[in-house]
Amino acid sequence: MLRVMTWSVAGLTLLPGAALAGSIFYAPPPPGEDAPAFSGEAELGYTHLSGNTDSQTLIGKSRLSWLSGNWTHTLRGEVRNVTRDDETSAEQYLLSLRERYDLHERHYLFGFGRWEKDRFSGYDQQLTAIGGYGRHVLDGERHRLSLEAGPGFRHDHVRDDEDEQLGLLYSALDYQWTFSDTSHLRQELSMEATDENTTTRSVSSLTARLNSRLALRLSHEAKHNSRPPETATTHTDHTTSVTLLYTW
């Protein structure tokens, strides 16, 4: 089981093993009337330990969103690399493009494509495309609950084995409790089920806003593959992070 807990300070980020997936729930909240047409966030973390142990950790994440009528477009990129005594123990990359079209009131349609590469997952790379329907069940000042589901397709490039093309069913839940003017708790869950395996992701987070641009976040992420390739090192990855976020 992979457990990462490293402190790093670089640029605008304080990261003990930042969760690579960022937000696993791919439905951003509906934009408000005064929402900016273009927004984003960026994180960068780096550590270098030398002496009895020689290790380096590099973590970078970015997200860009822009609005066009009823459409919301979101582009994400993420990378993580960990080496210890010149041996790589983690190497992950992710790139995703998400499209969302708001329908009447709390209803919307969505679609996204995602490319992932995890050196120790047993896959050389994975390509996923999913589309479907979402609804905001709760949309109050303190409590917000969103659900979405739909079909999809995944292409798995399995290391040292034949590629696999799999149909899948996707479902996700996103709950947020805003308990003060500056802080909120959030629980995100998603599941992608195929005939071969089921991938579940969970992120629990506590976020406290420091000012209009900066926020401090404590989170724990778990990603589980019910049946990974034989070359995978584990079924479940855990990542705990404390992150200073910069948004614009």
Side-chain angles (χ1 to χ4, degrees), residues 18 113 191:
M191 180 180 69

Side-chain angles (χ1 to χ4, degrees), residues 10-30:
L12 296 168
T13 308
L14 180 62
L15 296 167
L20 187 65
S23 175
I24 63 165
F25 189 76
Y26 294 96

Side-chain angles (χ1 to χ4, degrees), residues 10 18 28 51 75 86 100 106 111 113 139 177 184 214 221 239 246:
L75 178 65
D86 296 326
R100 165 192 169 125
R106 299 184 177 185
D139 193 15
W177 172 35
H184 67 263
L214 296 176
E221 177 187 354
T239 306
Y246 176 76

Side-chain angles (χ1 to χ4, degrees), residues 93-105:
Y93 307 92
L94 182 146
L95 185 64
S96 174
L97 176 63
R98 158 120 185 163
E99 302 290 342
R100 165 192 169 125
Y101 183 81
D102 288 308
L103 301 173
H104 180 64
E105 295 182 346

Side-chain angles (χ1 to χ4, degrees), residues 161-236:
D161 205 341
E162 295 183 358
D163 291 1
E164 296 180 340
Q165 290 79 35
L166 303 170
L168 64 86
L169 291 177
Y170 164 83
S171 61
L173 173 153
D174 181 16
Y175 171 72
Q176 181 171 304
W177 172 35
T178 303
F179 57 88
S180 75
D181 293 338
T182 59
S183 304
H184 67 263
L185 287 167
R186 188 175 183 183
Q187 177 61 55
E188 304 168 79
L189 297 170
S190 75
M191 180 180 69
E192 298 172 15
T194 73
D195 290 337
E196 295 294 327
N197 53 41
T198 299
T199 301
T200 56
R201 309 172 196 244
S202 170
V203 173
S204 305
S205 63
L206 170 63
T207 303
R209 192 173 72 248
L210 304 177
N211 55 41
S212 61
R213 299 294 185 185
L214 296 176
L216 184 66
R217 175 173 295 164
L218 170 65
S219 66
H220 176 77
E221 177 187 354
K223 178 182 176 182
H224 177 76
N225 187 336
S226 63
R227 189 183 174 188
E230 295 181 356
T231 55
T233 57
T234 182
H235 285 249
T236 307

